[in-house]
Amino acid sequence: MRATKISQVAKAAGVSQTTISRYLNGKYSKMSEKTRQKVARTIKELNYVPTASARQLRQSSSHVVGLLVGDVANTFSCLLAKGIDDVLKPAGYDIVMMNTNNLLDVEQRSLQRLFELQADGILIQPDSINYSSFAACRQRDVPLVLIDREVKDQPQDIGKVTSANQDACYHLGRILKQKGYQNILTVSAHFAEASGQIPRIAGLKMAAEDFDLLYYNIETKGESDKWLQRELIKAIHRLRGKTAVISLMGPVLFKILDIFRQFNIHFPEDVGLISFDDWDWSKYVQNGIYLLKQDVELMGRIAARKLLNQIKGKTTQSDLTILPVEFVKKPSI
């Protein structure tokens, strides 16, 4: 698909190219609010992106690949980037990694910026739960691979790499039932609209229903550590029978361990303890913590290969890969 030209935007908006240029450069002093809104609407309707080299001819390849991650401070992002770099660097590609901070508006601005940079392909750990937020990639013939998180209405031929989170959590529910647990108490932190924790919760809910377990979740987004401390202790005391506490993402485990330490709660004596993700440190906590572990570097390598195949094949078509979740069995349950 050919990129929209500034002359086409000007014609559609009924203004001069100079007016469009002024708008793009933030010079609104001689522009009415009505004209400004009309130009903005036309740019959006025509899907026009002023490139960083808009006054130059597009090169056949920039040898740049964009990577959007939800939280650059999360070790998951670092491992993911490492796997991607292992594949793309030897192929001659540089990676522009952007932190969306799990915010939809930042995600869209970052995506537009990658269009401006003429990225040859884009890898995204999505914040938006809707595929329409990323449809502009295909409209611009930019190869795309979505990683880790689920989005709605994604075409089957769009590249995607994720883990079998829902199935793994359902199997975990069966294990807990066999070990005599009556309650599943999860702690989540939904910082993104398209969170990897959503299928995990769905799997545990299904297991609770099928195996006659009580399921309860504590969502921590926007709440203080003090609030989590109060809610977690209250839930543990309220639930009758044997309870398994599950951290639905690695960073939450730190907070749970701190609360257990403060209130002298032992596992597995008082409660069972399980966590998603691991960076080889939890094995040093007592005799280790029962884990559901994703191979994040492998996820990155597979995603990079999918993107590279699209770039080389001059296509935006790819497929889905679902990676298994490893159960690291430790005596914390």
Side-chain angles (χ1 to χ4, degrees), residues 142-163:
V142 178
L144 168 69
V145 177
L146 300 180
I147 308 173
D148 180 36
R149 299 168 176 171
E150 305 280 344
V151 299
K152 296 178 180 178
D153 303 323
Q154 177 181 331
Q156 291 184 353
D157 61 349
I158 290 291
K160 178 178 179 181
V161 186
T162 188
S163 296

Side-chain angles (χ1 to χ4, degrees), residues 3-234:
T4 303
K5 298 178 180 179
I6 191 171
S7 59
Q8 294 173 300
V9 177
K11 183 178 180 180
V15 299
S16 68
Q17 292 186 44
T18 302
T19 299
I20 301 296
S21 180
R22 285 174 179 160
Y23 175 87
L24 295 174
N25 288 289
K27 298 177 180 179
Y28 309 130
S29 58
K30 296 182 180 181
M31 192 182 304
S32 69
E33 182 61 25
K34 183 179 179 181
T35 298
R36 182 177 172 180
Q37 291 179 1
K38 183 193 295 184
V39 171
R41 185 169 59 252
T42 304
I43 286 174
K44 184 176 181 180
E45 289 173 352
L46 296 182
N47 200 27
Y48 174 69
V49 176
T51 66
S53 56
R55 296 152 196 82
Q56 304 172 11
L57 291 175
R58 177 183 172 94
Q59 298 178 355
S60 60
S61 176
S62 64
H63 290 283
V64 168
V65 165
L67 170 60
L68 304 186
V69 296
D71 180 8
V72 74
N74 191 327
T75 307
F76 180 98
S77 300
C78 300
L79 295 172
L80 182 67
K82 172 65 167 59
I84 291 169
D85 189 64
D86 286 346
V87 173
L88 293 182
K89 182 176 285 184
Y93 288 86
D94 294 322
I95 300 171
V96 175
M97 183 174 175
M98 295 184 175
N99 179 36
T100 65
N101 206 28
N102 290 309
L103 297 173
L104 299 180
D105 58 338
V106 176
E107 180 175 64
Q108 283 303 302
R109 288 202 305 272
S110 300
L111 190 58
Q112 294 299 312
R113 181 58 180 151
L114 290 175
F115 290 152
E116 293 173 16
L117 291 173
Q118 305 282 5
D120 288 342
I122 300 176
L123 300 142
I124 303 177
Q125 183 191 33
D127 299 318
S128 174
I129 202 167
N130 298 304
Y131 169 74
S132 59
S133 298
F134 316 107
C137 291
R138 170 159 283 181
Q139 292 167 4
R140 295 179 173 279
D141 291 330
V142 178
L144 168 69
V145 177
L146 300 180
I147 308 173
D148 180 36
R149 299 168 176 171
E150 305 280 344
V151 299
K152 296 178 180 178
D153 303 323
Q154 177 181 331
Q156 291 184 353
D157 61 349
I158 290 291
K160 178 178 179 181
V161 186
T162 188
S163 296
N165 285 308
Q166 184 166 322
D167 289 347
C169 281
Y170 185 86
H171 182 58
L172 176 62
R174 180 186 289 110
I175 291 172
L176 292 174
K177 177 67 175 181
Q178 292 170 350
K179 288 183 173 292
Y181 284 89
Q182 287 88 43
N183 310 306
I184 299 175
L185 172 58
T186 56
V187 182
S188 62
H190 282 105
F191 294 116
E193 186 179 72
S195 170
Q197 295 163 77
I198 294 173
R200 296 170 186 174
I201 289 174
L204 288 168
K205 281 184 175 179
M206 289 173 59
E209 184 175 341
D210 289 351
F211 304 129
D212 194 26
L213 300 168
L214 177 64
Y215 176 77
Y216 183 75
N217 181 58
I218 298 175
E219 169 55 45
T220 65
K221 182 181 179 182
E223 304 292 350
S224 66
D225 290 351
K226 197 70 176 176
W227 178 90
L228 172 60
Q229 179 188 96
R230 183 175 64 250
E231 292 301 310
L232 181 60
I233 295 303
K234 184 167 63 177

